[in-house]
Amino acid sequence: MKIFVVNTGSSSLKYQLIEMNGEEVISKGLVERIGTEGSSMTYHVKGEKRKIEKTIPNHTDAIKLVFETLKEDRVLTDISEIDAVGHRVVHAGEKYSGSVLITEDVVNALDECSFFAPLHNPPNIKGIRACQEVMPDVPMVGVFDTAFHQTMPDYSYMYALPYELYEKYRVRRYGFHGTSHRYVSQVAMELLGKKESKIISCHLGNGASVCAVLNGKSIDTSMGHTPTGGLIMGTRCGDVDPALIPILENVEGLSAKQIDDIMNKKSGMLGVSGISNDFRDLENAFHEGNRRAKLALEMFDYRLKKFIGAYTIAMGGLDALVFTAGIGENDYETRYEACKGMEFMGLYLDVEKNKSVRGELAEISLPESKVKVYVIPTNEELMIARDTLEIVKSIQAVKA
Ligand code: ADP
């Protein structure tokens, strides 16, 4: 069975074609600058990386180009060989706590959730529409970033704002990166050999979040109503005193839009260091003695440690700490700093092993460590494909 996994942004479309028999990625690629000048498609096929530069006016044309290319490369003889499509959708509000078969009702519900994620849901819906146009008879499944966190209890997801704001606008914490946290925590449970477990998953990329996974379920996560909350990120501030917003309005004369821009695009590691949002640049600058790069890194590590501490207490202990995404998978210095001084709770990092691990699945704690520490490369596309397969199979079973 072949599953096509799609992740659309406002001007981009990422895809993977996965043969589920063996879970092999047959082709993957990225269409960029859709609808603007300089659009292109970069893709990997048969071990080669290729690039096509041409005008791509909209997402439907992007999908058509992907399929033309797959046919030219003889990866597919016909589109009808695609059995199902899995779509990554950012926000499903309180509507869906798991992946679902996409119907008109589902698209309408996701459209309503555009209120929560105005930058993400509209392009995700465009991607669904584009695929429906090109493959009208192929079943499609929506997999949501927020869904995994729908198991958070109310005392964890509510803000201490007037309750009417929740009733009127569903103002609450939703959390994101759910597909990634779900994937890596599943792998961690397999490694631990038990589902009854206390796991903290640290998804540390340009966007970053921590998740407390108790017995396979998310009970807390660091991002909030939007992805701006929680950890310090590449360009996002994470948690700040909310009363700073009216203060900034007054002292700097900034509009809500300008403050939003500052907090999402000009803050975080970039804002503090004044150098870069990329940890590689920051660590180079730190080793050359740059004071603000050092400060940004120390702030990041300290905030991360506080979340790990809080979630360990919230779960009443910890079986495994997991690192994933760009920084989590590659940056041994951040992993070292996060694990430093945790011997009191039975966490012993294998310092030498940690240094050598980059982008691969590994246990980086010492054998005697009560708390296991894992590096688990995330694979959101595979998780989307697995959900899609499961839902499509269950529908076929009902029909049979
Ligand atoms: P996102 O998907 O949120 O854009 P990624 O998970 O791809 O982010 O992570 C990107 C970040 O990972 C980069 O900005 C950089 O900070 C960090 N990163 C990637 N490779 C390395 C590395 N070898 N060492 C340290 N940090 C790295």
Side-chain angles (χ1 to χ4, degrees):
M1 200 178 219
K2 287 188 179 61
I3 292 186
F4 187 67
V5 177
V6 191
N7 180 356
T8 29
S10 56
S11 65
S12 69
L13 186 149
K14 269 193 237 166
Y15 72 89
Q16 282 196 6
L17 179 63
I18 304 179
E19 171 53 65
M20 294 311 285
N21 194 358
E23 297 189 330
E24 185 201 349
V25 178
I26 315 171
S27 176
K28 64 177 182 179
L30 168 68
V31 187
E32 285 175 289
R33 294 172 176 260
I34 298 169
T36 58
E37 253 175 61
S39 40
S40 67
M41 170 170 154
T42 318
Y43 62 105
H44 295 258
V45 67
K46 296 173 183 162
E48 263 182 55
K49 188 175 176 184
R50 299 182 198 162
K51 185 167 184 177
I52 300 172
E53 285 175 5
K54 69 178 282 189
T55 309
I56 307 167
N58 54 50
H59 288 76
T60 306
D61 287 312
I63 291 282
K64 283 182 182 160
L65 177 65
V66 171
F67 285 121
E68 273 165 30
T69 315
L70 290 172
K71 280 200 271 181
E72 269 167 30
D73 292 332
R74 297 182 194 283
V75 175
L76 290 177
T77 324
D78 193 78
I79 295 185
S80 61
E81 287 167 42
I82 306 262
D83 295 286
V85 181
H87 288 272
R88 179 216 178 196
V89 180
V90 168
H91 219 305
E94 292 185 329
K95 184 87 188 173
Y96 302 113
S97 56
S99 304
V100 292
L101 185 75
I102 295 177
T103 60
E104 265 319 286
D105 283 350
V106 172
V107 178
N108 290 337
L110 297 177
D111 197 24
E112 280 172 23
C113 292
S114 295
F115 165 73
F116 301 122
L119 298 180
H120 294 102
N121 271 32
N124 294 158
I125 294 169
K126 263 191 197 170
I128 294 172
R129 293 296 188 211
C131 288
Q132 284 174 330
E133 211 176 314
V134 179
M135 301 169 265
D137 300 322
V138 178
M140 303 204 185
V141 168
V143 181
F144 315 113
D145 271 23
T146 49
F148 184 56
H149 304 300
Q150 280 295 302
T151 44
M152 286 193 287
D154 52 4
Y155 56 81
S156 164
Y157 69 67
M158 285 299 288
Y159 290 118
L161 289 165
Y163 196 79
E164 300 76 56
L165 289 176
Y166 171 66
E167 288 177 319
K168 264 163 94 176
Y169 307 113
R170 289 288 176 261
V171 169
R172 49 160 285 180
R173 291 191 316 108
Y174 289 96
F176 300 86
H177 293 142
T179 311
S180 175
H181 289 303
R182 179 158 61 104
Y183 176 78
V184 299
S185 57
Q186 275 183 9
V187 176
M189 285 184 281
E190 279 163 29
L191 294 171
L192 289 170
K194 57 178 181 181
K195 195 170 172 203
E196 283 64 41
S197 53
K198 296 161 180 161
I199 296 171
I200 296 179
S201 154
C202 308
H203 178 110
L204 311 177
N206 215 3
S209 67
V210 193
C211 180
V213 186
L214 181 62
N215 304 332
K217 292 195 169 117
S218 167
I219 60 144
D220 206 343
T221 190
S222 57
M223 283 178 167
H225 187 83
T226 73
T228 315
L231 291 178
I232 296 169
M233 302 176 224
T235 61
R236 296 185 193 132
C237 56
D239 291 344
V240 291
D241 181 344
L244 272 173
I245 295 166
I247 291 177
L248 285 177
E249 267 177 16
N250 290 335
V251 292
E252 287 266 311
L254 297 172
S255 66
K257 164 89 191 65
Q258 285 170 317
I259 297 175
D260 189 62
D261 208 50
I262 289 177
M263 290 186 162
N264 280 298
K265 298 188 182 148
K266 296 179 183 154
S267 297
M269 305 304 281
L270 173 68
V272 176
S273 70
I275 296 173
S276 170
N277 60 314
D278 194 301
F279 273 54
R280 288 162 286 197
D281 301 337
L282 293 169
E283 274 160 9
N284 287 338
F286 163 62
H287 292 301
E288 284 162 11
N290 187 291
R291 190 179 58 82
R292 275 170 55 187
K294 177 172 182 273
L295 174 64
L297 289 164
E298 283 174 351
M299 287 168 65
F300 181 93
D301 298 336
Y302 182 63
R303 176 94 46 106
L304 175 60
K305 273 181 113 88
K306 287 207 291 186
F307 272 103
I308 295 171
Y311 290 171
T312 302
I313 299 295
M315 291 191 289
L318 186 61
D319 294 309
L321 180 63
V322 179
F323 291 99
T324 193
I327 300 159
E329 290 168 31
N330 295 297
D331 185 3
Y332 73 87
E333 292 184 73
T334 297
R335 294 191 303 248
Y336 173 77
E337 291 299 334
C339 295
K340 206 165 73 178
M342 295 211 194
E343 294 77 13
F344 75 94
M345 58 181 225
L347 189 158
Y348 294 90
L349 186 72
D350 183 335
V351 177
E352 287 311 310
K353 177 89 182 279
N354 176 47
K355 264 191 191 171
S356 67
V357 171
R358 241 179 222 175
E360 75 212 79
L361 180 81
E363 182 174 326
I364 55 168
S365 42
L366 289 170
E368 64 267 32
S369 187
K370 193 167 71 64
V371 180
K372 302 291 169 211
V373 186
Y374 300 122
V375 175
I376 303 178
T378 194
N379 196 340
E380 288 157 285
E381 291 79 10
L382 180 59
M383 198 83 248
I384 294 171
R386 284 180 183 167
D387 281 10
T388 305
L389 178 69
E390 196 183 315
I391 288 176
V392 170
K393 271 191 172 167
S394 67
I395 296 163
Q396 286 170 344
V398 170
K399 281 188 184 159

